[in-house]
PDB file of all heavy atoms in Angstrom:
ATOM      1  N   MET A   1      25.087   2.686  -3.591  1.00 44.00           N
ATOM      2  CA  MET A   1      23.683   2.601  -3.960  1.00 44.00           C
ATOM      3  C   MET A   1      23.410   1.227  -4.569  1.00 44.00           C
ATOM      4  O   MET A   1      24.200   0.712  -5.340  1.00 44.00           O
ATOM      5  CB  MET A   1      23.334   3.681  -5.004  1.00 44.00           C
ATOM      6  CG  MET A   1      21.844   3.695  -5.373  1.00 44.00           C
ATOM      7  SD  MET A   1      21.510   4.873  -6.708  1.00 44.00           S
ATOM      8  CE  MET A   1      22.150   6.365  -5.980  1.00 44.00           C
ATOM      9  N   VAL A   9       8.300  -9.816 -10.598  1.00 37.00           N
ATOM     10  CA  VAL A   9       7.773 -10.849  -9.729  1.00 37.00           C
ATOM     11  C   VAL A   9       6.266 -10.751  -9.807  1.00 37.00           C
ATOM     12  O   VAL A   9       5.687  -9.735  -9.457  1.00 37.00           O
ATOM     13  CB  VAL A   9       8.246 -10.654  -8.269  1.00 37.00           C
ATOM     14  CG1 VAL A   9       7.693 -11.758  -7.398  1.00 37.00           C
ATOM     15  CG2 VAL A   9       9.765 -10.632  -8.214  1.00 37.00           C
ATOM     16  N   GLY A  11       2.213 -12.120  -9.137  1.00 38.00           N
ATOM     17  CA  GLY A  11       1.451 -12.662  -8.020  1.00 38.00           C
ATOM     18  C   GLY A  11       0.952 -14.056  -8.288  1.00 38.00           C
ATOM     19  O   GLY A  11       0.193 -14.607  -7.527  1.00 38.00           O
ATOM     20  N   PRO A  17      -6.541  -9.135 -16.702  1.00 38.00           N
ATOM     21  CA  PRO A  17      -7.622  -8.161 -16.717  1.00 38.00           C
ATOM     22  C   PRO A  17      -7.946  -7.777 -18.154  1.00 38.00           C
ATOM     23  O   PRO A  17      -7.195  -8.058 -19.076  1.00 38.00           O
ATOM     24  CB  PRO A  17      -7.040  -6.966 -15.944  1.00 38.00           C
ATOM     25  CG  PRO A  17      -5.792  -7.463 -15.303  1.00 38.00           C
ATOM     26  CD  PRO A  17      -5.329  -8.629 -16.102  1.00 38.00           C
ATOM     27  N   PRO A  24       0.288  -1.038 -16.624  1.00 75.00           N
ATOM     28  CA  PRO A  24       1.659  -1.318 -17.054  1.00 75.00           C
ATOM     29  C   PRO A  24       2.217  -2.545 -16.358  1.00 75.00           C
ATOM     30  O   PRO A  24       1.685  -3.003 -15.348  1.00 75.00           O
ATOM     31  CB  PRO A  24       2.414  -0.054 -16.630  1.00 75.00           C
ATOM     32  CG  PRO A  24       1.658   0.410 -15.417  1.00 75.00           C
ATOM     33  CD  PRO A  24       0.212   0.086 -15.681  1.00 75.00           C
ATOM     34  N   GLU A  25       3.298  -3.069 -16.911  1.00 71.00           N
ATOM     35  CA  GLU A  25       4.000  -4.200 -16.307  1.00 71.00           C
ATOM     36  C   GLU A  25       5.416  -3.766 -15.940  1.00 71.00           C
ATOM     37  O   GLU A  25       5.866  -2.688 -16.300  1.00 71.00           O
ATOM     38  CB  GLU A  25       4.037  -5.385 -17.277  1.00 71.00           C
ATOM     39  CG  GLU A  25       2.661  -5.938 -17.643  1.00 71.00           C
ATOM     40  CD  GLU A  25       1.902  -6.510 -16.448  1.00 71.00           C
ATOM     41  OE1 GLU A  25       2.551  -6.854 -15.435  1.00 71.00           O
ATOM     42  OE2 GLU A  25       0.665  -6.597 -16.519  1.00 71.00           O
ATOM     43  N   LEU A  37      -1.981  12.218 -12.528  1.00 98.00           N
ATOM     44  CA  LEU A  37      -3.176  12.102 -11.689  1.00 98.00           C
ATOM     45  C   LEU A  37      -2.851  12.552 -10.264  1.00 98.00           C
ATOM     46  O   LEU A  37      -1.750  12.319  -9.767  1.00 98.00           O
ATOM     47  CB  LEU A  37      -3.694  10.668 -11.687  1.00 98.00           C
ATOM     48  CG  LEU A  37      -4.317  10.184 -12.999  1.00 98.00           C
ATOM     49  CD1 LEU A  37      -4.574   8.676 -12.940  1.00 98.00           C
ATOM     50  CD2 LEU A  37      -5.617  10.941 -13.276  1.00 98.00           C
ATOM     51  N   LEU A  47      -1.170  16.816  -5.197  1.00 97.00           N
ATOM     52  CA  LEU A  47       0.081  16.842  -5.950  1.00 97.00           C
ATOM     53  C   LEU A  47       0.085  15.677  -6.920  1.00 97.00           C
ATOM     54  O   LEU A  47      -0.593  14.666  -6.705  1.00 97.00           O
ATOM     55  CB  LEU A  47       1.298  16.801  -5.026  1.00 97.00           C
ATOM     56  CG  LEU A  47       1.567  15.573  -4.179  1.00 97.00           C
ATOM     57  CD1 LEU A  47       3.032  15.567  -3.738  1.00 97.00           C
ATOM     58  CD2 LEU A  47       0.685  15.576  -2.933  1.00 97.00           C
ATOM     59  N   PRO A  48       0.815  15.812  -8.032  1.00 98.00           N
ATOM     60  CA  PRO A  48       0.811  14.749  -9.032  1.00 98.00           C
ATOM     61  C   PRO A  48       1.444  13.469  -8.490  1.00 98.00           C
ATOM     62  O   PRO A  48       2.459  13.514  -7.791  1.00 98.00           O
ATOM     63  CB  PRO A  48       1.651  15.326 -10.177  1.00 98.00           C
ATOM     64  CG  PRO A  48       1.716  16.797  -9.923  1.00 98.00           C
ATOM     65  CD  PRO A  48       1.612  16.970  -8.451  1.00 98.00           C
ATOM     66  N   ARG A  64      -5.940  -1.706   0.491  1.00 84.00           N
ATOM     67  CA  ARG A  64      -7.354  -1.861   0.153  1.00 84.00           C
ATOM     68  C   ARG A  64      -8.161  -0.671   0.686  1.00 84.00           C
ATOM     69  O   ARG A  64      -8.698   0.110  -0.062  1.00 84.00           O
ATOM     70  CB  ARG A  64      -7.887  -3.172   0.718  1.00 84.00           C
ATOM     71  CG  ARG A  64      -7.278  -4.416   0.083  1.00 84.00           C
ATOM     72  CD  ARG A  64      -7.849  -5.687   0.680  1.00 84.00           C
ATOM     73  NE  ARG A  64      -9.263  -5.813   0.411  1.00 84.00           N
ATOM     74  CZ  ARG A  64     -10.195  -5.835   1.367  1.00 84.00           C
ATOM     75  NH1 ARG A  64      -9.864  -5.714   2.647  1.00 84.00           N
ATOM     76  NH2 ARG A  64     -11.473  -5.959   1.053  1.00 84.00           N
ATOM     77  N   CYS A  71      -4.882  -4.751   6.118  1.00 85.00           N
ATOM     78  CA  CYS A  71      -4.088  -3.594   5.696  1.00 85.00           C
ATOM     79  C   CYS A  71      -3.488  -2.889   6.911  1.00 85.00           C
ATOM     80  O   CYS A  71      -2.321  -2.474   6.883  1.00 85.00           O
ATOM     81  CB  CYS A  71      -4.949  -2.616   4.909  1.00 85.00           C
ATOM     82  SG  CYS A  71      -5.646  -3.322   3.395  1.00 85.00           S
ATOM     83  N   LYS A  80       7.674  -0.330  10.887  1.00 95.00           N
ATOM     84  CA  LYS A  80       8.873  -0.780  11.583  1.00 95.00           C
ATOM     85  C   LYS A  80      10.116  -0.745  10.698  1.00 95.00           C
ATOM     86  O   LYS A  80      11.215  -1.031  11.182  1.00 95.00           O
ATOM     87  CB  LYS A  80       8.661  -2.202  12.101  1.00 95.00           C
ATOM     88  CG  LYS A  80       7.529  -2.311  13.104  1.00 95.00           C
ATOM     89  CD  LYS A  80       7.224  -3.765  13.400  1.00 95.00           C
ATOM     90  CE  LYS A  80       5.941  -3.892  14.199  1.00 95.00           C
ATOM     91  NZ  LYS A  80       5.521  -5.298  14.318  1.00 95.00           N
ATOM     92  N   VAL A  81       9.954  -0.418   9.415  1.00 96.00           N
ATOM     93  CA  VAL A  81      11.120  -0.330   8.530  1.00 96.00           C
ATOM     94  C   VAL A  81      11.887   0.940   8.899  1.00 96.00           C
ATOM     95  O   VAL A  81      11.355   2.050   8.782  1.00 96.00           O
ATOM     96  CB  VAL A  81      10.694  -0.285   7.053  1.00 96.00           C
ATOM     97  CG1 VAL A  81      11.920  -0.149   6.152  1.00 96.00           C
ATOM     98  CG2 VAL A  81       9.887  -1.525   6.686  1.00 96.00           C
ATOM     99  N   ILE A  96      -0.317   4.332  -0.323  1.00 97.00           N
ATOM    100  CA  ILE A  96      -1.436   5.023  -0.973  1.00 97.00           C
ATOM    101  C   ILE A  96      -2.725   4.333  -0.537  1.00 97.00           C
ATOM    102  O   ILE A  96      -2.861   3.113  -0.665  1.00 97.00           O
ATOM    103  CB  ILE A  96      -1.341   4.965  -2.517  1.00 97.00           C
ATOM    104  CG1 ILE A  96      -0.007   5.526  -3.015  1.00 97.00           C
ATOM    105  CG2 ILE A  96      -2.534   5.694  -3.148  1.00 97.00           C
ATOM    106  CD1 ILE A  96       0.103   7.020  -3.008  1.00 97.00           C
ATOM    107  N   TYR A 126      -5.512   3.586  -9.015  1.00 95.00           N
ATOM    108  CA  TYR A 126      -5.760   2.146  -8.863  1.00 95.00           C
ATOM    109  C   TYR A 126      -6.252   1.561 -10.193  1.00 95.00           C
ATOM    110  O   TYR A 126      -5.761   0.514 -10.650  1.00 95.00           O
ATOM    111  CB  TYR A 126      -6.834   1.897  -7.801  1.00 95.00           C
ATOM    112  CG  TYR A 126      -6.400   2.027  -6.364  1.00 95.00           C
ATOM    113  CD1 TYR A 126      -6.239   3.278  -5.764  1.00 95.00           C
ATOM    114  CD2 TYR A 126      -6.185   0.898  -5.582  1.00 95.00           C
ATOM    115  CE1 TYR A 126      -5.881   3.389  -4.431  1.00 95.00           C
ATOM    116  CE2 TYR A 126      -5.828   1.007  -4.238  1.00 95.00           C
ATOM    117  CZ  TYR A 126      -5.669   2.254  -3.672  1.00 95.00           C
ATOM    118  OH  TYR A 126      -5.312   2.375  -2.344  1.00 95.00           O
ATOM    119  N   MET A 131      -5.248  -2.332 -10.852  1.00 93.00           N
ATOM    120  CA  MET A 131      -5.507  -2.990  -9.574  1.00 93.00           C
ATOM    121  C   MET A 131      -6.883  -3.643  -9.595  1.00 93.00           C
ATOM    122  O   MET A 131      -7.866  -3.053 -10.069  1.00 93.00           O
ATOM    123  CB  MET A 131      -5.433  -1.976  -8.422  1.00 93.00           C
ATOM    124  CG  MET A 131      -4.096  -1.262  -8.285  1.00 93.00           C
ATOM    125  SD  MET A 131      -2.751  -2.374  -7.827  1.00 93.00           S
ATOM    126  CE  MET A 131      -1.371  -1.224  -7.772  1.00 93.00           C
ATOM    127  N   SER A 152     -11.762 -11.784  14.965  1.00 49.00           N
ATOM    128  CA  SER A 152     -11.309 -10.670  15.799  1.00 49.00           C
ATOM    129  C   SER A 152     -10.951  -9.456  14.956  1.00 49.00           C
ATOM    130  O   SER A 152     -11.246  -8.312  15.327  1.00 49.00           O
ATOM    131  CB  SER A 152     -10.105 -11.097  16.649  1.00 49.00           C
ATOM    132  OG  SER A 152      -8.993 -11.428  15.827  1.00 49.00           O
ATOM    133  N   GLY A 171     -12.995   3.889   2.156  1.00 70.00           N
ATOM    134  CA  GLY A 171     -12.567   3.357   0.870  1.00 70.00           C
ATOM    135  C   GLY A 171     -13.526   2.281   0.394  1.00 70.00           C
ATOM    136  O   GLY A 171     -14.384   1.802   1.131  1.00 70.00           O
ATOM    137  N   HIS A 200      -0.888  -9.736  -0.526  1.00 83.00           N
ATOM    138  CA  HIS A 200       0.170  -8.726  -0.530  1.00 83.00           C
ATOM    139  C   HIS A 200       1.536  -9.392  -0.492  1.00 83.00           C
ATOM    140  O   HIS A 200       1.696 -10.507   0.015  1.00 83.00           O
ATOM    141  CB  HIS A 200       0.004  -7.769   0.658  1.00 83.00           C
ATOM    142  CG  HIS A 200      -0.204  -8.459   1.969  1.00 83.00           C
ATOM    143  ND1 HIS A 200      -1.394  -8.406   2.669  1.00 83.00           N
ATOM    144  CD2 HIS A 200       0.612  -9.236   2.711  1.00 83.00           C
ATOM    145  CE1 HIS A 200      -1.294  -9.105   3.772  1.00 83.00           C
ATOM    146  NE2 HIS A 200      -0.074  -9.633   3.826  1.00 83.00           N
ATOM    147  N   SER A 222       4.219  -1.603  21.332  1.00 40.00           N
ATOM    148  CA  SER A 222       2.894  -1.606  21.900  1.00 40.00           C
ATOM    149  C   SER A 222       1.967  -0.702  21.108  1.00 40.00           C
ATOM    150  O   SER A 222       2.183   0.481  21.011  1.00 40.00           O
ATOM    151  CB  SER A 222       2.972  -1.029  23.279  1.00 40.00           C
ATOM    152  OG  SER A 222       2.567  -1.800  24.224  1.00 40.00           O
ATOM    153  N   ILE A 224      -2.100   0.316  20.575  1.00 36.00           N
ATOM    154  CA  ILE A 224      -3.431   0.205  21.161  1.00 36.00           C
ATOM    155  C   ILE A 224      -4.418  -0.156  20.061  1.00 36.00           C
ATOM    156  O   ILE A 224      -4.558   0.550  19.079  1.00 36.00           O
ATOM    157  CB  ILE A 224      -3.854   1.519  21.840  1.00 36.00           C
ATOM    158  CG1 ILE A 224      -2.868   1.852  22.959  1.00 36.00           C
ATOM    159  CG2 ILE A 224      -5.264   1.430  22.371  1.00 36.00           C
ATOM    160  CD1 ILE A 224      -3.103   3.209  23.599  1.00 36.00           C
TER     161      ILE A 224
END
Side-chain angles (χ1 to χ4, degrees):
M1 183 185 303
V9 181
E25 298 297 339
L37 290 170
L47 65 161
R64 294 180 64 243
C71 299
K80 298 171 190 171
V81 178
I96 304 283
Y126 283 78
M131 301 294 180
S152 64
H200 49 248
S222 239
I224 299 174

